[in-house]
């Protein structure tokens, strides 16, 4: 049985859930819309990072660098797209397949026990993957969208001042992050760092790892 | 500090979730209760059939839980594969769920650059359809479009890829078969067609010769039947240039010089004749030209000659001749490797004659077994669509316009040779010519000369690498189909066990999708239907005769288990041969008409040229099937890199030691690989198994010339390939 502990968070940190969720959602869109839409999704990434950077200066420097690399001409954008597909999509064997079970399952395949576990978490929230059975539930874009959803709800709860409820989505995020995101994303990020041929992708990875930690960092601060 | 239970917690979150509509979901949606209910953890089982180019065409049971393929096992109701799979078959979950699968339609700009963009199916179909219509407009026909499909998936509904091409007009077609045509023609000249005994009947033999057949690697499910025969007292003899896994299990292994199998069979025949172990009654009653061949044996064949030619000691020839002729019944299984020579078909004809002279044809426990297509009585509706009205093609011998045929076994050169009109576009389905065709450099050059290349595949390979657009193909667990074998007599249904992963589609779906787009762009430009479920298409493949032969009234009954076609266990037991004379044609006028010897007489083997004194044989591997399977993680772990098997004596001549890198080359190209010193091969033969390794450019076909084998065009349209008449030199790197 999962237990949720009541911890009081400082008021100012609660407000950040919304901004953190926005970054995670922007990251989700980077992966769901693919390399062909980086001209749209990267600026959104930068924007959300800037917003969150007001509270976390380390993100400001990351987003500034990211911004430098997101203002690209057409040819550079195309090169970025090719690199995105080489890293994450294919048709060549992708360097860093964006699926949790590839990193955590014994068999290093898609559609493994991790996929079932996140599906179960989605179902607990009355949610399911739009193309369930066709696309692995533990696809990075889906997990990040779910994480964003949890944090957005945590923020809403906090705004509604529902007392105990305020922590429930935060705790759910914590659990999801500890059981899933934090377990596999570092391995995923490592592959990107090692093999990426364009600096924007390691930067994105840095933002990703940093952002998923922020809500947990708040707890540690407490 | 207060604790709440998960149940309490979930109850409290429901209200919040009800407001989830405010959140901008793109990947997730509100839970569909029906979907959640259907997706319970109960394990469901489905019937599947391995569709690979393999004797065994295994009956499979797939185990699906939560909509995911958990395990694949053998189907216990399949009487030949008997509930077991081969090492490749057990890896299927790794194939379906490999992160390396091609997931989406992708476009490469420019071709060969590695610069890939993901596109939608609509964009893919639009691009392809516009290119087809553009070529048709520029050249007045669809002949500039060349279609090459073969054995990546032998499911009957995959003939929809052929249908795609037929329905857009007359196109250029790669005709023939690379694998076995010389042997097919040999048996066609002799018996009227290829037709083997039921392999389960092998248990009844008293003597079994596996002639160039490595069943331990390529037809593992026949091994129990062979072993059962041995338990019953049969002797197992393996004749092969390589001491294979199968050979290691034999009672007698004979290492023969490659391409001299006919000489060994002739030597045996002469000894059988000299000892009057001939079944004169059977041979004379059932064949034409038998005595003419006997005269040839008397006048031209000696045991000394056969021993010298084959490298097999005379005493051994005498031993197996006596045993084969006097063990009743005795069976021979002729492998496909032994006919991949310039005299390969002729060697099969000689072996056929050996079977006839001993009365072993048409007998249970006997036969000269090569393969069969007797059980493939489907309607082939998925491929049977005519060209749109007014289509222009090549005028054939019947005066009608039709497709333009080119030789699948000389694909690169034949494509480039077409002039009126030239070939400008390739469509590759179930086929990887970049990996499997001879003369890879010529293939690369030919691909580079194309305006547009489309490939349909599940994994990246050499052909995909040279494509403009690749379309992601389903695995056989993701679509419906029906499959027959070219060896055993069973037919099985292939049920859709899981949803197609990502955006993959079957050849049938692609055919319908393209037709929809073609007709949207230009009404009437494609005759292929644009609707119908896979099961509806499947139903159309069955007919009354097929149903009767399977003892079913509806194809759906196959969901209860595969069925065996009702045929006698011994091929030709009715004595009704399908040759022009209705008898076994030891003297074949048809062969003579095609420029071949009328009789099964010796034809000299191809000799090594002075410059390239070493024969490079490239047989089928254990852990892969052509360019399939070896790329998977388990196979890469077990067999991480290709090796050159080389006899220690030959290695010493070149100063090569175990593990040294060796350049294998001829005037066509070269490959470099590690040496493995072994006495399993003979002194003048090196061996490297054809395969496609993950993230490797290794390809034996860089050195293989498109040298035709002697037969194939009679029954398959084109002669085969002399893959094993490939000569090279070696250099330690």
């Amino acid at each position: 049985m999962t237990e949720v502990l009541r911890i009081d968070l400082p008021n100012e940190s609660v407000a950040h859930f919304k901004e953190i969720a926005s970054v995670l959602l922007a990251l989700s869109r980077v992966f769901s819309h693919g390399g062909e839409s980086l001209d749209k999704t990267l600026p959104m990434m930068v924007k959300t990072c800037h917003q969150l950077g007001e509270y976390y200066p380390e993100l400001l420097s990351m987003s500034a660098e990211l911004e430098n690399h997101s203002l690209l001409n057409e040819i550079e954008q195309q090169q970025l797209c090719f690199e995105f597909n080489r890293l994450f999509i294919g048709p060549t064997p992708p360097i860093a397949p964006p699926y949790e079970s590839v990193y955590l399952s014994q068999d290093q395949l898609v559609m493994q026990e991790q996929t079932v576990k996140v599906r179960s978490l989605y179902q607990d929230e009355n949610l399911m993957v739009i193309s369930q059975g066709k696309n692995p539930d533990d696809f990075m874009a889906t997990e990040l969208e779910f994480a964003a959803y949890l944090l957005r709800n945590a923020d809403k709860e906090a705004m509604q001042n529902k007392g105990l409820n305020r922590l429930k989505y935060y705790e759910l995020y914590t659990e999801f992050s500890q059981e899933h995101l934090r377990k596999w994303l570092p391995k995923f990020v490592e592959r990107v760092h090692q093999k990426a041929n364009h600096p924007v992708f390691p930067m994105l990875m840095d933002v990703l790892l940093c952002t998923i930690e922020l809500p947990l960092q708040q707890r540690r601060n407490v | 500090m207060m604790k709440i239970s998960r149940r309490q917690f979930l109850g409290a979150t429901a209200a919040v979730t009800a407001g989830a509509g405010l959140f901008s979901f793109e990947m997730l949606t509100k839970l569909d209760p029906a979907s959640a209910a259907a997706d319970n953890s109960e394990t469901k089982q489905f019937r599947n059939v391995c569709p690979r180019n393999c004797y065994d065409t295994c009956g499979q049971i797939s185990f699906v839980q939560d909509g995911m393929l958990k395990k694949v096992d053998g189907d216990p109701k399949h009487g030949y594969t008997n509930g077991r799979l081969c090492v490749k078959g057990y890896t299927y979950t790794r194939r379906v769920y490999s992160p390396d699968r091609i997931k989406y339609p992708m476009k490469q700009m420019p071709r060969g650059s590695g610069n890939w963009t993901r596109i939608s199916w609509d964009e893919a179909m639009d691009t392809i359809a516009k290119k087809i219509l553009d070529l048709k407009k520029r050249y007045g026909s669809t002949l500039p479009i060349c279609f090459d499909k073969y054995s990546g998936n032998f499911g009957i509904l995959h003939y929809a890829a052929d249908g795609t091409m037929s329905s857009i007009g007359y196109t250029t077609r790669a005709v023939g078969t690379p694998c076995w045509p010389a042997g097919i023609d040999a048996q066609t000249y002799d018996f009227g067609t290829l037709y083997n005994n039921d392999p389960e009947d092998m248990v009844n033999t008293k003597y079994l010769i596996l002639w160039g057949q490595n069943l331990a690697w390529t037809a593992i499910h026949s091994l129990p039947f062979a072993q059962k025969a041995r338990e019953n007292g049969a002797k197992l003899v393996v004749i092969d240039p390589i001491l294979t896994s199968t050979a290691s299990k034999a009672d007698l292994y004979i290492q023969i010089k490659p391409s001299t199998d006919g000489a060994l069979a002739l030597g045996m025949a002469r000894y059988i004749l000299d000892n009057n172990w001939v079944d004169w009654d059977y041979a004379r009653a059932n064949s034409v030209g038998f005595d003419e061949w006997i005269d040839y044996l008397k006048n031209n064949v000696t045991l000394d000659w056969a021993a010298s030619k084959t490298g097999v000691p005379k005493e051994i020839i005498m031993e197996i001749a006596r045993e084969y002729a006097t063990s009743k019944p005795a069976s021979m299984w002729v492998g496909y490797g032994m006919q991949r020579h310039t005299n390969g078909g002729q060697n099969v004809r000689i072996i056929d004659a050996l079977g006839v002279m001993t009365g072993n044809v048409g007998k249970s426990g006997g036969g000269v077994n090569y393969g069969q297509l007797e059980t493939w009585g489907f309607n082939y509706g998925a491929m049977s669509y005519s060209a749109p009205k007014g289509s222009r093609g090549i005028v054939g011998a019947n005066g009608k316009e039709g497709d333009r045929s080119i030789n699948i076994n000389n694909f690169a050169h034949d494509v480039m040779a077409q002039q009126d009109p030239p070939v400008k576009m390739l469509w590759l389905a179930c086929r990887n010519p970049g990996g499997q065709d001879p003369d890879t450099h010529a293939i690369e050059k030919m691909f580079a000369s194309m305006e547009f290349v489309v490939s349909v595949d599940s994994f990246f390979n050499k052909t995909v690498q040279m494509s403009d657009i690749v379309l992601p193909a389903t695995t056989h667990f993701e679509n419906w189909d029906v499959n027959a074998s070219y060896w055993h007599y069973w037919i099985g249904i292939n049920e859709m066990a899981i949803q197609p992963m990502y955006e993959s589609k079957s050849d049938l779906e692609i055919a319908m999708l393209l037709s929809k787009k073609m007709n949207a762009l230009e009404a009437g430009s494609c005759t292929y239907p644009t609707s119908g479920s896979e099961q509806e298409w499947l139903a159309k493949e069955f007919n009354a005769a097929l149903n009767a032969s399977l003892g079913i009234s509806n194809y759906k009954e196959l969901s209860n288990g595969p069925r065996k076609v009702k045929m006698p266990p011994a091929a030709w037991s009715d004595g009704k041969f399908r040759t022009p004379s209705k008898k076994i044609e030891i003297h074949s006028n048809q062969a003579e008409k095609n420029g071949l010897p009328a009789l099964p007489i010796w034809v000299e083997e191809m000799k090594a040229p002075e410059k390239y004194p070493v024969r490079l044989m490239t047989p089928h591997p254990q852990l892969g099937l052509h360019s399939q399977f070896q790329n998977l993680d388990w196979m890469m772990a077990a067999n991480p890199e290709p090796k050159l098997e080389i006899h220690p004596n030959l290695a010493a001549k070149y100063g090569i030691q175990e593990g040294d890198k060796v350049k294998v080359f001829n005037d066509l190209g070269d490959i470099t690989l590690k040496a493995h010193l072994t006495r399993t091969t003979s002194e003048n033969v090196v061996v490297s198994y054809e395969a496609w390794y993950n993230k490797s450019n290794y390809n034996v076909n860089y050195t293989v010339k498109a040298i035709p084998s002697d037969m194939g065009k009679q029954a398959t349209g084109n002669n085969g390939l002399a893959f094993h008449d490939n000569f090279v030199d070696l250099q330690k790197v």
Side-chain angles (χ1 to χ4, degrees):
Chain A
M1 184 178 289
T2 305
E3 293 183 341
V4 177
L5 304 179
R6 180 178 171 184
I7 302 169
D8 289 325
L9 292 174
N11 285 338
E12 62 274 19
S13 68
V14 174
H16 307 162
F17 286 162
K18 190 176 174 185
E19 286 75 15
I20 296 169
S22 296
V23 174
L24 293 180
L25 202 58
L27 273 164
S28 167
R29 301 302 180 244
V30 167
F31 282 89
S32 63
H33 292 205
E36 296 71 21
S37 300
L38 288 172
D39 60 326
K40 297 178 188 69
T41 54
L42 277 184
M44 184 57 70
M45 266 297 304
V46 171
K47 187 179 166 189
T48 57
C49 278
H50 269 309
Q51 287 165 352
L52 186 58
E54 286 182 28
Y55 311 102
Y56 299 96
E58 65 265 38
L59 264 175
L60 271 186
S61 59
M62 285 184 196
S63 68
E65 279 195 67
L66 206 53
E67 187 169 18
N68 289 336
H69 288 283
S70 63
L71 301 170
L72 304 173
N73 64 35
E74 201 175 326
I75 291 173
E76 288 169 323
Q77 277 176 14
Q78 214 173 36
Q79 292 303 319
L80 211 56
C81 170
F82 299 148
E83 176 66 355
F84 182 94
N85 289 333
R86 187 185 74 86
L87 290 170
F88 308 119
I89 305 296
T92 50
I95 303 294
Y99 306 97
E100 178 181 337
S101 63
V102 172
Y103 301 86
L104 298 188
S105 70
Q106 189 182 352
D107 288 340
Q108 299 177 15
L109 303 171
V110 301
M111 298 297 236
Q112 303 298 301
E113 65 270 26
Q114 292 75 15
T115 318
V116 178
K117 281 181 182 169
V118 296
R119 180 181 295 178
S120 173
L121 289 177
Y122 301 159
Q123 288 181 354
D124 287 348
E125 283 303 302
N126 209 26
L127 294 170
M128 63 183 286
V129 174
I130 285 173
S131 49
Q132 184 174 300
K134 295 172 81 73
N135 286 312
D137 307 60
D138 55 355
F139 175 40
M140 166 119 109
T142 313
E143 288 200 2
L144 291 179
E145 184 177 282
F146 184 62
Y149 162 79
L150 296 176
L151 288 177
R152 198 69 72 82
N153 276 347
D155 181 69
K156 274 189 209 167
E157 287 176 310
M159 293 301 106
Q160 289 164 8
N161 196 23
K162 286 189 175 176
L164 187 64
N165 278 353
R166 160 185 155 201
L167 288 179
K168 286 174 187 168
Y169 274 100
Y170 174 59
E171 287 302 327
L172 199 52
Y173 172 85
T174 304
E175 181 187 331
F176 179 59
S177 176
Q178 286 178 340
E179 292 301 313
H180 297 279
L181 300 177
R182 294 180 81 219
K183 278 189 176 171
W184 76 276
L185 287 179
K187 297 170 194 275
F188 168 81
V189 166
E190 188 182 355
R191 286 199 200 179
V192 179
H193 270 287
Q194 284 176 354
K195 301 279 184 171
N197 291 330
H198 194 288
V200 80
F201 296 106
M203 285 175 203
L204 268 178
M205 296 301 107
D206 291 343
V207 172
L208 171 65
L209 282 190
C210 175
T211 310
I212 62 165
E213 285 294 320
L214 291 178
L216 309 176
Q217 193 180 319
Q218 291 177 8
R219 162 170 278 175
R220 284 194 291 270
N221 290 341
V222 173
Chain B
M1 191 178 286
M2 171 187 171
K3 292 180 181 176
I4 63 168
S5 72
R6 183 167 184 85
R7 186 179 298 274
Q8 287 171 306
F9 169 66
L10 291 176
T13 60
V16 179
T17 309
L22 298 173
F23 186 83
S24 172
F25 285 116
E26 285 189 10
M27 308 304 295
L28 293 160
T29 187
K30 192 178 174 190
L31 181 66
D32 170 14
S35 162
D39 212 26
N40 57 37
S41 58
E42 183 189 334
T43 299
K44 296 172 190 163
Q45 295 185 23
F46 296 87
R47 290 215 133 76
N48 292 97
V49 185
C50 182
R52 307 275 86 93
N53 182 353
C54 173
Y55 287 99
D56 287 2
T57 312
C58 294
Q60 299 177 320
I61 300 286
S62 52
F63 297 80
V64 176
Q65 194 180 32
D66 297 317
M68 300 179 196
L69 183 68
K70 307 302 278 188
K71 187 176 82 166
V72 180
D73 213 337
D75 187 343
K77 288 191 176 177
H78 195 291
Y80 171 76
T81 56
N82 266 320
R84 297 185 188 91
L85 302 176
C86 73
V87 64
K88 298 178 281 287
Y90 285 117
T91 66
Y92 264 119
T93 51
R94 313 196 75 79
R95 185 175 166 87
V96 174
Y97 292 142
S98 167
D100 294 349
R101 264 186 80 170
I102 298 175
K103 303 171 184 71
Y104 312 104
M106 304 288 289
K107 181 169 68 174
Q108 186 175 211
M109 300 177 298
R111 192 186 321 138
S113 64
N115 295 334
W116 290 93
T117 309
R118 181 178 164 185
I119 56 175
S120 65
W121 271 99
D122 187 63
E123 183 182 342
M125 291 297 106
D126 192 66
T127 308
I128 295 166
K130 280 177 177 163
K131 188 69 193 178
I132 291 170
L133 294 172
D134 168 59
L135 288 168
K136 188 176 170 183
K137 191 175 174 187
R138 281 160 54 199
Y139 291 96
S141 77
T142 45
L143 288 169
I145 300 156
C146 179
F147 177 62
D148 187 3
K149 170 179 176 279
Y150 192 54
S151 67
N153 188 318
F154 268 148
I156 301 304
L157 288 187
H158 283 265
Y159 286 98
D162 304 67
T164 306
M165 290 295 115
S166 300
S167 63
I168 61 170
Y170 299 115
T171 55
T172 301
R173 301 295 186 98
V175 171
T177 146
C179 301
W180 57 337
I184 290 177
D185 264 16
Q187 296 222 315
T188 301
Y189 291 133
D190 293 334
F191 306 122
T193 191
L194 70 163
Y195 182 9
N196 60 269
N197 280 24
D198 180 354
E200 295 163 52
D201 173 66
M202 207 182 293
V203 298
N204 296 318
T205 194
K206 299 293 182 209
Y207 197 80
L208 176 59
I209 299 179
L210 300 179
W211 210 312
Q213 214 302 323
N214 183 13
L215 62 81
W217 281 16
T218 62
I220 187 70
H221 297 89
S222 282
L223 192 54
F225 300 109
Q227 294 289 46
K228 183 74 180 169
R230 291 177 79 190
E231 286 168 20
N232 294 339
K235 182 171 179 177
L236 175 63
V237 178
V238 171
I239 301 167
D240 204 302
I242 304 165
L243 201 167
T244 61
S245 276
T246 308
S248 71
K249 299 178 193 310
D251 297 296
L252 174 65
Y253 165 60
I254 296 169
Q255 189 165 54
I256 189 171
K257 290 181 186 172
S259 199
T260 67
D261 308 88
L264 177 58
L266 287 170
M268 290 168 68
R270 176 63 201 250
Y271 192 64
I272 289 166
L273 177 63
D274 290 347
N275 287 279
N276 199 24
W277 293 319
V278 178
D279 189 337
W280 294 103
D281 289 344
Y282 179 84
R284 284 179 171 153
N286 288 283
S287 70
V288 294
F290 184 70
D291 284 300
E292 194 183 342
W293 184 60
I294 291 294
D295 288 342
Y296 165 79
L297 287 177
K298 286 178 182 168
N299 297 328
N300 296 279
V301 176
T302 66
L303 280 172
D304 288 329
W305 168 82
S308 159
K309 200 79 200 166
T310 60
V312 180
K314 199 162 104 176
E315 295 71 27
I316 297 294
I317 300 176
M318 290 157 64
E319 178 186 330
I320 59 171
R322 176 178 54 77
E323 290 175 347
Y324 174 70
T326 59
S327 306
K328 302 285 184 183
S331 174
M332 292 191 288
W333 181 353
V334 178
Y336 302 138
M338 68 146 286
Q339 49 95 56
R340 291 179 187 144
H341 295 283
T342 55
N343 63 348
Q346 190 67 11
N347 285 340
V348 177
R349 285 204 68 203
I350 296 168
I351 294 170
D352 284 347
L354 190 60
V356 175
M357 87 182 294
T358 52
N360 276 308
V361 173
K363 304 286 195 304
S364 172
V368 184
N369 301 304
Y370 184 71
Q372 62 84 22
L373 296 171
E374 299 293 298
T375 57
W376 291 60
F378 304 97
N379 289 338
Y380 299 96
M383 68 183 284
S384 305
Y385 288 90
S386 54
K389 278 183 184 170
S391 294
R392 302 300 306 273
I394 297 292
V395 178
N398 59 4
K400 291 182 179 172
E401 287 186 289
D403 292 327
R404 175 169 63 182
S405 298
I406 60 165
N407 187 351
I408 197 171
N409 292 326
N410 197 24
F411 188 55
H413 298 282
D414 267 21
V415 166
M416 286 193 285
Q418 303 307 314
Q419 288 302 324
D420 189 22
V423 173
K424 292 291 178 185
M425 171 179 163
L426 298 176
W427 182 294
L428 295 313
C430 307
R431 183 93 178 117
N432 174 16
Q436 298 307 127
D437 275 26
D439 199 348
T440 311
H441 285 305
I443 286 283
E444 288 168 344
K445 192 175 163 192
M446 180 273 283
F447 269 72
S449 74
M450 292 294 111
E451 282 186 19
F452 194 62
V453 179
V454 179
S455 56
V456 185
D457 219 312
S458 299
F459 287 91
F460 186 81
N461 56 36
K462 179 80 180 172
T463 299
V464 176
Q465 187 187 351
M466 298 187 292
S467 301
D468 292 281
I469 284 182
V470 60
L471 304 175
T474 47
T475 66
H476 69 283
F477 301 100
E478 297 162 325
N479 51 246
W480 286 86
D481 217 326
V482 61
N483 299 73
S485 159
Y486 50 71
W487 181 236
H488 63 68
Y489 293 1
W490 291 80
I491 285 179
I493 196 167
N494 181 75
E495 296 176 318
M496 185 182 191
I498 54 170
Q499 292 187 63
M501 285 296 291
Y502 314 104
E503 293 187 4
S504 60
K505 291 187 188 296
S506 68
D507 283 316
L508 175 62
E509 288 176 290
I510 294 170
M512 292 191 282
L513 211 54
L514 183 65
S515 184
K516 203 177 280 183
K517 180 59 76 174
M518 293 272 300
N519 283 297
L521 291 169
E522 187 180 305
S525 62
C526 182
T527 64
Y528 211 82
T530 55
S531 64
S533 71
E534 286 191 339
Q535 283 167 281
E536 286 167 346
W537 281 90
L538 188 58
K540 291 181 198 166
E541 293 296 349
F542 287 78
N543 52 57
L546 180 60
N547 285 349
S549 74
L550 295 171
I552 58 173
S553 55
N554 187 302
Y555 84 92
K556 289 179 182 172
E557 291 175 52
L558 291 175
S559 286
N560 298 324
R563 293 290 187 112
K564 190 173 177 179
V565 174
K566 291 174 191 164
M567 297 199 299
W572 308 119
S573 55
D574 59 1
K576 292 178 181 173
F577 297 97
R578 296 181 209 160
T579 56
S581 66
K582 309 294 181 198
K583 292 195 169 191
I584 300 166
E585 297 197 345
I586 300 292
H587 179 117
S588 168
N589 290 330
Q590 194 64 54
E592 194 168 31
K593 195 176 151 192
N594 289 341
L596 298 162
L599 289 173
I601 61 174
W602 175 245
V603 169
E604 282 296 313
E605 77 278 26
M606 187 172 172
K607 308 286 194 307
E610 198 176 335
K611 202 172 166 190
Y612 301 111
V614 180
R615 185 187 294 266
L616 169 62
M617 297 192 81
T618 55
H620 286 201
Q622 180 184 24
L623 302 181
L625 212 164
H626 297 313
S627 52
Q628 296 170 321
F629 292 106
Q630 176 58 55
N631 63 308
L632 301 177
D633 55 354
W634 276 2
M635 304 313 196
M636 291 298 291
N639 179 35
E641 59 181 342
K643 287 184 179 155
L644 184 74
E645 295 181 355
I646 180 169
H647 193 282
N649 294 349
L650 182 63
K653 280 186 197 170
Y654 287 92
I656 294 167
Q657 295 184 339
E658 178 74 22
D660 281 350
K661 282 275 177 77
V662 181
K663 181 179 174 184
V664 180
F665 65 97
N666 57 22
D667 51 3
L668 212 59
D670 62 83
I671 50 174
T672 298
L673 62 175
K674 269 187 190 170
H676 173 53
L677 273 56
T678 171
R679 292 177 190 276
T680 55
T681 184
S682 53
E683 286 196 31
N684 58 351
V685 177
V686 292
V687 179
S688 188
Y689 297 92
E690 52 111 6
W692 168 62
Y693 288 73
N694 198 6
K695 297 172 188 169
S696 163
N697 201 33
Y698 166 76
N699 182 347
V700 293
N701 289 312
Y702 275 111
T703 68
V704 177
K705 288 180 189 170
I707 298 170
S709 58
D710 53 347
M711 296 182 195
K713 66 182 174 187
Q714 174 68 27
T716 71
N718 280 300
N719 281 354
L721 273 164
F723 278 109
H724 297 326
D725 287 335
N726 183 32
F727 296 97
V728 297
D729 202 0
L730 310 174
Q731 186 184 357
K732 183 178 165 183
V733 177

